[in-house]
Amino acid sequence: MNVAETLKSLTTAEKAGLGSGIDMWCTKEIPEKNVPSIRTSDGPNGLRKMETNADGLGRDQSVEAICFPTASCLASSFDRDMIREVGQALGEECQTEGVSVLLGPGVNMKRSPLCGRNFEYYSEDPYLAGEIGTAMTNGVQSQGVGVCIKHFAANNQEKNRFSISVEADMRTLHEIYLRAFEKIVKTAKPWTVMCSYNMINGVYSCENKWLLTDTLRKRWGFDGAVITDWGAMNDRSKACEAGTDLEMPSSHGVRDKYLADAVDSGKLDSKYLDANAERLLKLIDRAISEREEYKKAHGGIPVYSKEEHHRIAEKAAEGSAVLLKNDGGLLPLEKDRKVLFIGEFAEESRYQGGGSSHINTYKVEKILDSADKAGIQYDYVKGFHVYPEEFDDNEEIFNEALSKAGRYDTAVIFAGLSDLEESEGFDRDDIELPEYQNKLISAVCDKLNNVAVVLFTGSPVAFPWKDKVSSILNMYLAGEAMGTALINILYGNVSPSGHLAETFPCRIQDTPAYLNFPGSRDNVAYAEGVYIGYRYYDKRDMDVLFPFGHGLTYTTFEYSDIRVNGMDPLALKKAEINGKSPVTVSLTIKNTGNFDAAEVPQIYVQNAPAYEGRPIKELKGFTKVFLKKGESKTVDIILDDQAFAYFEPKTDDWFVTPGQYTILAGSSSRDIRLSADINIDSDDRIPFKAGDTTTAMDIQKYYTGDPAPLKAFLEKAGFTQGLSGDVDAEQSSMGKAGARMDQAMYEDTPLHSVVSFAKDIDLQDVEDTIRKLNGENNF
Ligand code: BGC
């Protein structure tokens, strides 16, 4: 298609029509202008292709497809290559099914563990979510299919998601809630972005020019199309001007007419509608031509192999499971020692989430079937139902499990949440497992010593029985091949290698957003600012149940020889490193135990004190390395050019404070094995403009000119201590304490207030001093 020519040929009504769907999933075709329709489909952990007129609420069945592990599970793999492979498989499935845009991945932050949709999101950490989202995007798009990264932005709860206004400051938005999107846009060039339902600081995402034009397109260079979440359109004319291109699913022509009228009446400049239509034509053209390329490369559109993709799902589940606890090395189990399996999840496996991501699964592997296939010796008792309200034998099966437990020395209990407890559409009320499961686990532990719990949930839960059980294996929602993956891990064919992409808190009351989740009917204050997840627990020095990055395996690893840009810690003491270019951290890891396994070394930057408060440390790099027993490898982990930066609202940009930072290398955020101090060089400065609220401390911190005018002013006022810091305790009737307060007063009293305390100072002096300070300031 010649996009420029086609655009010229379209009428206003046709352009407006192009900007909304023809049905739930497809764009409109304009046959007389040779504009074809393209199809979108959910996403994100499998293909949920619906028939054209099917509804989007899950009442209709979608085509059969592979259900890969959900996002919280995949992210725990910390494995970019594996996630890329999953993305590639999803892309192939889209090609086979004629889908041009896959609606995912979802890269929203896990602000609270209560968000019902957390299973669809990667992490509480924007760097990790950005890296995983980049790998997924690259995988899908390598197959000539576009992704739609969602939900842009700050869609971090389900309650009132259609209209709630997220109240957050610029630093919090850029540093936490936009960061993963930024990374993916800049490095993986997604074809489309889905704007969220909610408002940000009082403006709907679809109408938010700051979000869609100033930030997404201008600041980050996004050149694709913006699609609304399904039903997230509000005022189409405002949305068009702000940079939203496609309203989905459709408004049955109502908003097409509204938009065309706005242009015809001159209320909306036609250039905005042209820009919209041009971006959509480019998207359609790209989808069609990439499909042609794909066909050429494959001699037609191949039908993907479901068996092959099932095995990719299995590998992904194996690489993502997180071993949280393993006292006494209970796991792996010996194959020929008969154990007792308890819990209906062994039959009714939970492996995916509810809502728009729900897959019509190709082949679910139930745990008991997989155990039979592997020739495992086990006995099974239900113990509890996943949906106990549907049965009246709950007490009976509980007691049966307890009496059988007495006859075994080892039990594995399969516990978790049902889709009535976590799903798209609503949030959880707490982080507890159902009471009947907690009771059963505790009671079984009273009967025997060796109890392993296997968990199936999309997000963290509390473990009141944590100290009573020997092992906890967190499978998350691990996709359709979860059965084989689980048996392989339980019996040691595969060593677990997942690490938590989110903190497991001790109590919901400990969580950073506890006082502000889900907010009121209309708005929610992100009062915790940048301190979400481990940033919060670290800063408050709090205990957690299991920390971010935690994950055990069947072997042990030794870390040694940390270097930064090739220099050891001694050489680093004397060196200066440019804080705005990538930095390479290398270290050697040795498998010192008895199993082959993969380790996930994580690099955190411990921050120097900055002008603004900063988290104690932040994840800035990681890799995954497989080591046979006894083997050691040196790995290079590259920290990107933003590893030392924070978002400075005063400069409205990323900012690197010069000074000393510490590079930490560890196996979790709270298991740091090596560290190296480094000196970061940066010429970033905060532009400083004096005003009547300027204080002596401001001048000391931010002012780069000659402070003489201020000195003269303070001398005249008798306030010189504000700059010199030399209040004498003798001078204060309250001794040292008084002197300390006086010092703070001298430092923090604004220029205009000095007038109140110093009889020789008048308003003219204040004005002159401000003028002189600013005159000498080069900013
Ligand atoms: C969800 C999106 C999804 C869309 C289409 C919405 O309710 O928020 O994530 O892609 O429906 O099913």
Side-chain angles (χ1 to χ4, degrees):
M1 181 196 313
N2 180 330
V3 169
E5 286 303 313
T6 310
L7 181 66
K8 258 196 243 156
S9 75
L10 296 185
T11 64
T12 299
E14 282 169 337
K15 286 178 206 163
L18 196 60
S20 75
I22 184 74
D23 55 34
M24 277 305 290
W25 308 107
C26 300
T27 62
K28 292 195 189 83
E29 63 171 343
I30 313 175
E32 46 297 2
K33 307 279 165 75
N34 292 324
V35 179
S37 159
I38 60 168
R39 177 185 283 271
T40 65
S41 170
D42 282 308
N45 59 295
L47 186 61
R48 184 164 169 267
K49 183 192 164 192
M50 316 280 280
E51 286 318 317
T52 302
N53 288 318
D55 79 306
L57 303 173
R59 293 183 294 250
D60 294 316
Q61 194 66 288
S62 51
V63 298
E64 198 179 81
I66 308 302
C67 179
F68 294 94
T70 62
S72 49
C73 181
L74 277 183
S76 312
S77 72
F78 278 69
D79 188 341
R80 297 176 182 90
D81 294 342
M82 186 269 278
I83 286 162
R84 194 180 196 282
E85 203 182 337
V86 170
Q88 207 169 308
L90 281 165
E92 282 173 28
E93 295 185 23
C94 286
Q95 286 292 12
T96 300
E97 296 289 353
V99 169
S100 297
V101 175
L102 183 73
L103 303 174
V107 298
N108 294 104
M109 290 292 98
K110 300 187 194 217
R111 176 174 176 252
S112 163
L114 297 180
C115 173
R117 218 171 169 182
N118 273 355
F119 70 88
E120 263 192 88
Y121 300 140
Y122 292 130
S123 180
E124 66 187 23
D125 180 81
Y127 173 78
L128 179 58
E131 290 296 305
I132 304 280
T134 297
M136 179 61 89
T137 300
N138 284 333
V140 174
Q141 295 198 162
S142 69
Q143 301 306 300
V145 169
V147 298
C148 186
I149 53 172
K150 65 191 189 182
H151 308 88
F152 191 58
N155 180 182
N156 309 102
Q157 64 191 61
E158 292 300 280
K159 183 79 185 156
N160 297 323
R161 67 171 159 155
F162 292 100
S163 56
I164 199 151
S165 175
V166 166
E167 309 294 330
D169 60 68
M170 281 301 141
R171 178 170 171 213
T172 301
L173 288 169
H174 280 285
E175 235 170 85
I176 303 292
Y177 295 98
L178 303 185
R179 191 90 186 249
F181 290 97
E182 175 179 2
K183 174 87 193 189
I184 301 168
V185 165
K186 286 183 171 167
T187 57
K189 307 243 169 275
W191 291 16
T192 69
V193 168
M194 184 187 290
C195 69
S196 59
Y197 292 118
N198 54 286
M199 301 186 194
I200 298 176
N201 295 324
V203 185
Y204 279 110
S205 293
C206 70
E207 295 171 7
N208 203 322
K209 178 176 168 291
W210 164 78
L211 184 70
L212 303 180
T213 298
D214 303 345
T215 304
L216 177 66
R217 294 191 203 282
K218 292 195 178 148
R219 201 188 268 266
W220 301 345
F222 176 66
D223 61 0
V226 173
I227 305 178
T228 65
D229 197 346
W230 267 229
M233 177 53 81
N234 185 50
D235 182 320
R236 180 98 176 264
S237 171
K238 281 191 195 163
C240 175
E241 188 171 344
T244 299
D245 302 310
L246 179 62
E247 172 190 11
M248 285 304 283
S250 95
S251 51
H252 318 289
V254 173
R255 289 202 185 93
D256 296 349
K257 180 165 177 346
Y258 172 82
L259 183 60
D261 288 350
V263 171
D264 288 340
S265 66
K267 270 197 219 142
L268 177 71
D269 191 325
S270 60
K271 72 176 183 194
Y272 294 112
L273 181 59
D274 282 348
N276 261 206
E278 185 179 3
R279 288 193 289 256
L280 285 171
L281 289 174
K282 279 187 179 157
L283 172 68
I284 294 166
D285 181 50
R286 182 173 192 181
I288 303 300
S289 46
E290 295 235 5
R291 167 142 310 147
E292 284 311 310
E293 289 296 309
Y294 191 83
K295 265 191 201 159
K296 261 193 232 151
H298 294 83
I301 295 286
V303 174
Y304 72 93
S305 156
K306 289 194 172 146
E307 275 306 308
E308 256 172 45
H309 287 198
H310 183 81
R311 278 193 294 278
I312 294 174
E314 179 190 314
K315 226 169 70 184
E318 281 171 1
S320 303
V322 188
L323 182 61
L324 294 173
K325 179 177 180 187
N326 198 21
D327 283 0
L330 173 62
L331 300 184
L333 301 168
E334 289 157 28
K335 220 172 167 182
D336 38 16
R337 185 157 120 206
K338 196 162 172 183
V339 298
L340 180 63
F341 285 176
I342 305 174
E344 204 185 29
F345 282 107
E347 295 172 77
E348 290 301 322
S349 308
R350 181 146 183 262
Y351 59 95
Q352 67 169 325
S356 58
S357 65
H358 198 88
I359 303 305
N360 177 13
T361 305
Y362 162 59
K363 188 166 82 175
V364 188
E365 288 179 355
K366 297 193 170 168
I367 294 163
L368 295 185
D369 295 344
S370 303
D372 290 341
K373 228 165 110 190
I376 299 301
Q377 297 291 306
Y378 71 90
D379 192 0
Y380 167 66
V381 59
K382 263 195 191 25
F384 63 83
H385 293 291
V386 175
Y387 302 102
E389 59 287 350
E390 293 172 12
F391 299 88
D392 49 19
D393 64 346
N394 293 308
E395 213 179 308
E396 213 177 292
I397 60 172
F398 183 95
N399 291 331
E400 191 198 349
L402 283 194
S403 77
K404 271 210 169 168
R407 284 184 250 143
Y408 287 84
D409 70 357
T410 303
V412 180
I413 306 180
F414 303 100
L417 296 174
S418 77
D419 46 13
L420 295 180
E421 282 142 339
E422 61 178 350
S423 162
E424 180 179 344
F426 58 88
D427 297 315
R428 289 191 292 167
D429 295 327
D430 54 44
I431 55 168
E432 306 305 321
L433 280 174
E435 184 53 30
Y436 60 90
Q437 292 187 34
N438 282 335
K439 255 172 70 186
L440 182 71
I441 296 170
S442 277
V444 170
C445 288
D446 292 339
K447 293 259 176 181
L448 50 86
N449 284 332
N450 302 320
V451 176
V453 172
V454 178
L455 263 188
F456 303 96
T457 69
S459 38
V461 286
F463 309 128
W465 32 260
K466 181 188 164 197
D467 295 335
K468 292 174 102 177
V469 303
S470 301
S471 307
I472 307 174
L473 176 65
N474 181 16
M475 291 300 288
Y476 276 111
L477 303 178
E480 65 176 58
M482 162 275 307
T484 306
L486 171 60
I487 296 297
N488 277 340
I489 291 173
L490 277 183
Y491 287 88
N493 297 334
V494 170
S495 300
S497 62
H499 286 246
L500 291 178
E502 61 190 323
T503 308
F504 272 48
C506 296
R507 312 178 310 152
I508 186 61
Q509 291 87 341
D510 292 351
T511 56
Y514 182 68
L515 296 178
N516 292 292
F517 186 95
S520 68
R521 165 68 187 83
D522 300 323
N523 52 46
V524 50
Y526 282 24
E528 68 287 354
V530 298
Y531 297 101
I532 71 163
Y534 67 89
R535 287 168 171 75
Y536 177 80
Y537 304 109
D538 279 1
K539 194 81 173 183
R540 297 205 55 200
D541 196 13
M542 285 167 76
D543 283 340
V544 296
L545 198 59
F546 291 107
F548 176 85
H550 171 73
L552 305 173
T553 186
Y554 298 151
T555 189
T556 45
F557 296 105
E558 195 180 85
Y559 286 49
S560 63
D561 200 14
I562 188 167
R563 283 163 191 269
V564 180
N565 286 353
M567 291 177 275
D568 65 19
L570 261 181
L572 284 167
K573 283 210 161 80
K574 289 178 229 138
E576 283 223 319
I577 290 178
N578 178 355
K580 288 188 160 175
S581 35
V583 162
T584 306
V585 180
S586 28
L587 40 121
T588 302
I589 301 183
K590 182 168 187 197
N591 182 342
T592 47
N594 293 321
F595 285 83
D596 300 345
E599 170 65 327
V600 175
Q602 301 152 43
I603 305 297
Y604 296 85
V605 170
Q606 186 167 308
N607 292 309
Y611 300 130
E612 301 289 330
R614 289 187 75 171
I616 306 271
K617 64 176 183 297
E618 295 175 283
L619 182 75
K620 298 295 176 182
F622 64 86
T623 190
K624 190 160 193 171
V625 53
F626 181 82
L627 296 165
K628 288 190 171 304
K629 46 187 174 183
E631 191 184 3
S632 75
K633 272 186 196 159
T634 296
V635 294
D636 284 341
I637 300 173
I638 299 182
L639 316 190
D640 68 25
D641 56 0
Q642 285 194 325
F644 301 96
Y646 73 100
F647 191 85
E648 172 52 65
K650 291 197 182 81
T651 54
D652 188 34
D653 205 352
W654 294 98
F655 189 93
V656 175
T657 315
Q660 198 189 69
Y661 292 70
T662 306
I663 301 289
L664 306 169
S667 186
S668 96
S669 65
R670 295 214 170 162
D671 180 7
I672 300 300
R673 309 281 181 85
L674 300 170
S675 70
D677 291 338
I678 61 172
N679 302 307
I680 287 294
D681 184 23
S682 156
D683 53 10
D684 280 351
R685 296 284 178 272
I686 308 255
F688 178 79
K689 192 160 190 284
D692 64 0
T693 59
T694 294
T695 64
M697 186 49 87
D698 291 339
I699 297 290
Q700 284 186 38
K701 267 175 138 179
Y702 306 124
Y703 188 64
T704 52
D706 179 0
L710 181 79
K711 235 175 168 174
F713 173 86
L714 294 176
E715 264 161 18
K716 194 170 173 195
F719 260 57
T720 47
Q721 295 91 333
L723 278 182
S724 61
D726 60 357
V727 174
D728 184 353
E730 303 290 315
Q731 287 167 9
S732 170
S733 60
M734 285 185 283
K736 273 189 195 162
R740 178 130 195 248
M741 190 195 95
D742 287 352
Q743 183 66 50
M745 287 281 289
Y746 284 124
E747 286 169 2
D748 292 343
T749 303
L751 294 184
H752 75 105
S753 297
V754 175
V755 178
S756 313
F757 299 110
K759 66 177 172 18
D760 294 335
I761 290 289
D762 61 24
L763 295 174
Q764 193 56 48
D765 290 319
V766 175
E767 217 177 275
D768 290 348
T769 306
I770 292 172
R771 191 172 29 77
K772 284 183 199 155
L773 285 169
N774 287 335
E776 287 165 16
N777 196 331
N778 291 330
F779 284 104

